[in-house]
């Protein structure tokens, strides 16, 4: 499949998106990541036309969250930020949107050609 017909790759910074709302996520990081995965599987990314491929990157206590239909979960082997940068680099010319509020990560992925959006894109406050 050529890059021109591949769907938009949406990479979601799980820790950053979960941490964007103080709803007690810190008591159950894995459960919070699973709820985010389930919301992404049910709702996708509101406002994005056409098919998208969603990758939820988890790290730390959220490792071990399984993928679900429509959402591939990847456990970062080390730094979640480094893993997301690697995913963007591997995407080549494919369009990529990274969902995070992390300023340094945003800089790193835009340097590689990705677009960025904040956590509210996938998780209303």
């Amino acid at each position: 499949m050529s890059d021109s017909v591949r769907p938009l790759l949406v990479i979601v910074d799980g820790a950053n998106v979960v941490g964007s709302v103080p709803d007690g996520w810190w008591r159950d990081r894995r459960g919070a990541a699973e709820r985010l995965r389930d919301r992404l599987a049910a709702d996708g990314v509101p406002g994005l036309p056409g098919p998208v491929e969603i990758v939820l990157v988890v790290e730390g206590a959220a490792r071990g969250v399984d993928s679900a239909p429509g959402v591939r979960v990847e456990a970062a082997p080390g730094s979640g930020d480094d893993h997301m940068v690697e995913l963007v680099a591997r995407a080549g010319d494919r369009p990529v949107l990274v969902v995070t509020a992390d300023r340094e990560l945003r800089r790193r992925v835009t340097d590689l050609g990705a677009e960025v959006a904040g956590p509210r894109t996938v998780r209303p406050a």
Side-chain angles (χ1 to χ4, degrees), residues 9-13 53 55 57 84 87-88 96-100:
L9 175 61
V10 178
I11 301 169
V12 178
D13 181 349
E53 178 184 350
V55 177
V57 175
M84 287 179 273
L87 290 173
V88 171
V96 179
L97 174 69
V98 177
V99 179
T100 187

Side-chain angles (χ1 to χ4, degrees), residues 92-115:
D93 291 335
R94 181 178 183 187
V96 179
L97 174 69
V98 177
V99 179
T100 187
D102 182 298
R103 287 187 182 112
E104 177 61 14
L105 177 59
R106 290 169 76 99
R107 183 197 60 76
R108 292 173 68 192
V109 299
T110 56
D111 285 352
L112 294 172
E115 297 291 323

